[in-house]
Amino acid sequence: MAAKATEIDADGIAVRVSSPDRVVFEATDTTPEFTKLQVVEYVVAVGDGLLRALRDRPTALERWPKGVREGMRLTSSQGQGDAFYSKRVPKGVPSHVPTVQVYFPSGRTAEEICPTQTADLAWAAHMGTITFHPWAMRRADVDRPDELRIDLDPQDGTDFHDAVDAALATRELLAELGVRAFVKTSGNRGVHVFVRIQPRWTVTSVRHAAIAVGRALEKRHDGVTTAWWKEERGSKIFVDFNQNARDRTIASAYSLRPKPGAPASFPVSWDDLPGIEDPRQFHLGTVPDLLASQGDAWAEIDDVAHDLTPLLDLWAEDPTEMPYPPDYPKMPGEPKRVQPSKARKESE
């Protein structure tokens, strides 16, 4: 018989947790099983750090209500798979959870939650949320990002350590431009570099800044590429500049990922980054204690909001537009969205 619902205290607010004994993550060779209640307790334990990443941001919820199992399908909407993205406020959202209207490149709109307190996170976890996907803007202005995101994505033939090397090169480049960057593991093989910026520029300008950073990295690091088409990337680290396009999101700091062992996207110091042998060491069972003992490596991320001008100056040196994600409408100045090998065949 399933355990009855229980309540958990989230900074003074009681949050109901149904089916607390449901196994969300099965045991692995190195980790025990983790239940739904433990997932909720996790987001409460890391609440300060998680809120630093999410506060006042429109946030999509990646929900796995049946738990994480091999072979389950993740879809873009509820009802089509075992797990899904909630890009709209779920029914029954508590009154303490703020929301804001956002719009997508398609022109459609949606109300999304904007967490501001630990109880908002606990409720989302009770609803089956594993990963929080915040926008780069805050609800005060959903058209002006206050965050630049450099997503370093290992391609075939590369691994986490290659992504670390690319991240260190990214830090050096940004430091030369007077920009302080922060870094975290992705919760999988990649590395994410974040920069707080002044919310003065459009989404398009921030995306152009990310492209410029990627191109500058290509010139100084032969293991990095900005090639949009996978067939052209080779065994390199891809700078996914389109993670800065409107409505694109990256798993937040401290978010769990739907992988065996409940790994987390974990902020680390630049000094500690090179010494990480396996990013899977940061998981539901270890992160709360690490955060309590070491503190949050991103504690100062909101202290400075940078001027984007030095990065846009880089863009001005080569303002060649790059392809947008395939579900986007055709964008101004965008090249043809044709796979290079296919384009060659069509021209023959």
Side-chain angles (χ1 to χ4, degrees):
M1 182 179 295
K4 295 181 179 179
T6 187
E7 284 189 348
I8 185 170
D9 179 80
D11 288 347
I13 297 177
V15 177
R16 180 179 180 272
V17 182
S18 63
S19 305
D21 294 338
R22 177 184 298 153
V23 175
V24 177
F25 293 95
E26 296 178 319
T28 70
D29 292 341
T30 58
T31 59
E33 68 181 22
F34 297 116
T35 66
K36 181 178 178 181
L37 179 59
Q38 287 174 298
V39 172
V40 178
E41 291 173 335
Y42 169 85
V43 301
V44 172
V46 302
D48 287 348
L50 187 51
L51 280 173
R52 188 171 289 110
L54 300 178
R55 183 172 283 108
D56 285 324
R57 299 187 186 280
T59 301
L61 307 176
E62 184 179 334
R63 295 167 59 188
W64 294 74
K66 300 176 184 178
V68 178
R69 301 290 186 276
E70 185 177 356
M72 283 187 168
R73 286 193 312 127
L74 174 65
T75 63
S76 59
S77 61
Q78 188 172 359
Q80 299 179 1
D82 305 290
F84 53 91
Y85 291 102
S86 282
K87 293 188 175 182
R88 289 172 169 78
V89 177
K91 294 180 180 179
V93 61
S95 59
H96 59 73
V97 181
T99 66
V100 71
Q101 186 178 76
V102 295
Y103 68 91
F104 303 103
S106 65
R108 293 177 299 152
T109 62
E111 286 284 326
E112 289 199 355
I113 72 165
C114 296
T116 60
Q117 56 186 338
T118 306
D120 303 341
L121 311 177
W123 165 79
H126 152 72
M127 294 293 290
T129 300
I130 296 297
T131 309
F132 295 85
H133 293 270
W135 287 45
M137 311 80 151
R138 301 190 196 253
R139 58 177 168 158
D141 188 344
V142 295
D143 292 317
R144 305 284 174 173
D146 74 336
E147 193 166 72
L148 172 71
R149 299 165 171 182
I150 306 299
D151 180 7
L152 301 170
D153 185 12
Q155 303 301 290
D156 292 344
T158 64
D159 58 19
F160 172 74
H161 300 288
D162 297 306
V164 168
D165 288 342
L168 294 171
T170 304
R171 182 201 188 191
E172 180 180 13
L173 168 65
L174 293 173
E176 290 172 5
L177 297 171
V179 174
R180 183 182 181 188
F182 292 77
V183 66
K184 66 184 180 73
T185 66
S186 71
N188 195 9
R189 298 194 308 146
V191 176
H192 298 155
V193 178
F194 276 46
V195 175
R196 289 287 196 265
I197 60 175
Q198 298 165 10
R200 295 167 44 198
W201 292 273
T202 64
V203 176
T204 299
S205 291
V206 175
R207 177 178 172 274
H208 285 165
I211 294 172
V213 169
R215 287 175 176 160
L217 284 172
E218 284 179 308
K219 293 177 181 178
R220 62 171 64 194
H221 194 304
D222 60 8
V224 170
T225 181
T226 59
W228 175 247
W229 299 104
K230 193 166 185 178
E231 65 182 28
E232 294 187 325
R233 294 176 190 168
S235 296
K236 295 186 177 183
I237 300 298
F238 172 50
V239 181
D240 191 353
F241 51 85
N242 271 332
Q243 292 291 16
N244 294 274
R246 174 171 289 278
D247 91 344
R248 287 312 188 258
T249 60
I250 293 180
S252 77
Y254 296 103
S255 271
L256 299 173
R257 306 304 303 274
K259 301 286 183 183
S265 181
F266 188 58
V268 296
S269 71
W270 286 106
D271 288 341
D272 289 341
L273 181 65
I276 299 172
E277 291 298 325
D278 186 344
R280 291 175 297 180
Q281 70 191 67
F282 307 119
H283 58 74
L284 188 154
T286 60
V287 165
D289 288 341
L290 287 171
L291 180 58
S293 62
Q294 299 178 5
D296 186 356
W298 282 20
E300 299 177 356
I301 194 171
D302 290 319
D303 289 358
V304 177
H306 288 284
D307 186 337
L308 200 62
T309 302
L311 277 63
L312 293 177
D313 288 342
L314 284 179
W315 165 256
E317 294 175 7
D318 180 9
T320 305
E321 189 55 274
M322 296 286 281
Y324 276 78
D327 59 326
Y328 261 58
K330 185 69 175 180
M331 302 299 287
E334 183 184 2
K336 290 182 179 180
R337 294 184 195 171
V338 181
Q339 192 170 336
S341 58
K342 183 177 181 180
R344 287 193 293 270
K345 290 180 181 178
E346 291 176 350
S347 65
E348 292 174 354

